[in-house]
Amino acid sequence: MRRLLILTVLLALAAGCVLDLHSNGIVDIFGSLFEVLDPSTESVQQPL
Amino acid sequence: MRAFAALLRKELRQHGPTALAFAGVLIAWAIVLYNFKERWDDLIPPLLILPMGFTPLWFLWRAYQSLRAEWSGRHAHLLLALPVPGWYLTLSKFLVLLLEVGLYAAVHAGAIYLVAVHDDLRHFSSPYLSDSVGNAFIRATLWTAFRTVLLLVPHGILILAAAYGIIHVSWLASRLLPLSRGRRIVSVLILAGLGWMMWRGAWLLGLALSWLPRIPVAQGMWIEGRSADALWLIHSTVTVAAGPVVGLLLLTAALYAAGSWLLEREVEL
């Protein structure tokens, strides 16, 4: 019974993945994490 | 701890010779490229990068094989009977795999240095910089590149640990099916689900932990200017928010705990 429950939870994640892909699209899913990561560059100039 | 060391030695004995043989092939490939770099001028960058592209794929394949081989080789009953926590097994396998990938990465880095950087540095000359300033600049640039590698290594290890955890748990969970039929498709579905959970989880935790300070991930240094009188040294640092990184770290730890629990309590031969 417990094994069935574990498998159901894990397969529900797969279903969540499919639903998310269907409603938001792969570009949005990938982009969202990079948006939160928010990479930025800080530069310091020094005369030679 | 002695049991953990024994497991590590077992993994090293199992995979060490293959890893050393592959590293030898990569070194031979670098030597060939170094000797033919004048003749194959344009082909050198893709030929240099080609084996690097296979390393992540090799890591994923080996992560999958590391558990499968125990079951197909019928050693699994020995492993499951050992009086050690499940995470000993997972971590020992991951560490040896990390060592293997680290060895390939070091060989790749050496190959890039030898083929693409070494000779250019020896013959470096600039109309704008005196030899002493030019040499100091090169040393500083190499040091910056080295620091970037040091900054990126922990992030790389975290991503590999997450990927290993996903493959490990999906394979173990597929063993919960009573029949061997359908295990492969269930394993692939769980793999996709866990991959998605980690990605979205890191995103959500990143939003929740947005108050954490930013962390540097790469540094660069170069010279800009139009004439010898107006040169600028530009020192630049790329930073990212720490939230998603810490989020991924927490999720990976949870995944390893789940894998350990499955291995100790649920999985059978």
Side-chain angles (χ1 to χ4, degrees):
Chain A
M1 192 64 196
R2 194 164 59 187
R3 289 181 184 180
L4 190 66
L5 191 67
I6 296 167
L7 278 171
T8 310
V9 169
L10 290 169
L11 289 172
L13 283 176
C17 171
V18 172
L19 284 175
D20 196 15
L21 273 173
H22 181 69
S23 52
N24 292 316
I26 194 161
V27 177
D28 187 66
I29 293 173
F30 271 92
S32 60
L33 186 58
F34 289 111
E35 226 167 82
V36 180
L37 267 173
D38 185 28
S40 74
T41 309
E42 293 153 25
S43 295
V44 180
Q45 289 192 357
Q46 215 180 327
L48 267 180
Chain B
M1 215 54 206
R2 282 176 65 185
F4 185 70
L7 281 170
L8 265 182
R9 276 200 300 277
K10 169 204 158 276
E11 289 295 321
L12 278 172
R13 264 200 310 273
Q14 251 178 336
H15 303 293
T18 322
L20 287 176
F22 271 142
V25 171
L26 290 174
I27 290 170
W29 181 240
I31 292 170
V32 168
L33 290 183
Y34 182 69
N35 285 310
F36 285 86
K37 64 184 264 186
E38 306 293 335
R39 207 180 300 175
W40 296 349
D41 196 23
D42 293 342
L43 282 173
I44 289 294
L47 288 177
L48 200 56
I49 291 166
L50 192 69
M52 287 174 68
F54 285 110
T55 307
L57 296 176
W58 177 248
F59 174 87
L60 297 176
W61 168 247
R62 282 272 289 102
Y64 170 70
Q65 276 293 85
S66 69
L67 266 182
R68 191 175 160 263
E70 303 288 359
W71 261 260
S72 59
R74 313 212 179 272
H75 317 125
H77 60 284
L78 278 174
L79 279 183
L80 294 178
L82 286 174
V84 293
W87 65 266
Y88 271 32
L89 301 174
T90 315
L91 200 64
S92 62
K93 283 181 182 299
F94 173 66
L95 284 180
V96 169
L97 191 49
L98 195 62
L99 208 62
E100 185 181 337
V101 172
L103 175 70
Y104 300 152
V107 172
H108 288 318
I112 290 172
Y113 179 80
L114 182 73
V115 178
V117 184
H118 183 253
D119 283 0
D120 292 342
L121 284 187
R122 268 202 319 199
H123 304 123
F124 176 81
S125 70
S126 163
Y128 301 124
L129 301 175
S130 67
D131 282 356
S132 59
V133 174
N135 283 331
F137 172 70
I138 286 168
R139 274 201 300 277
T141 309
L142 283 178
W143 175 236
T144 312
F146 179 67
R147 279 218 303 242
T148 294
V149 171
L150 286 187
L151 288 171
L152 283 176
V153 161
H155 294 89
I157 291 175
L158 176 58
I159 290 168
L160 291 180
Y164 186 81
I166 290 169
I167 292 173
H168 198 80
V169 170
S170 61
W171 196 86
L172 285 175
S174 73
R175 303 294 305 183
L176 298 181
L177 274 182
L179 298 170
S180 61
R181 216 171 149 189
R183 272 182 187 156
R184 204 165 287 173
I185 185 74
V186 166
S187 176
V188 170
L189 285 172
I190 294 173
L191 188 85
L194 285 175
W196 170 79
M197 182 199 79
M198 296 291 273
W199 192 271
R200 280 305 207 190
W203 168 66
L204 273 176
L205 286 169
L207 289 173
L209 300 170
S210 58
W211 47 271
L212 285 173
R214 298 180 68 78
I215 46 173
V217 289
Q219 289 185 329
M221 189 189 278
W222 65 93
I223 291 177
E224 273 184 16
R226 291 189 180 164
S227 70
D229 304 327
L231 290 176
W232 294 86
L233 181 69
I234 316 287
H235 193 106
S236 125
T237 307
V238 181
T239 60
V240 295
V245 181
V246 175
L248 186 62
L249 185 69
L250 294 173
L251 288 167
T252 305
L255 202 59
Y256 275 68
S260 179
W261 181 77
L262 278 177
L263 202 53
E264 280 172 39
R265 303 276 175 87
E266 298 297 335
V267 176
E268 287 175 5
L269 292 172

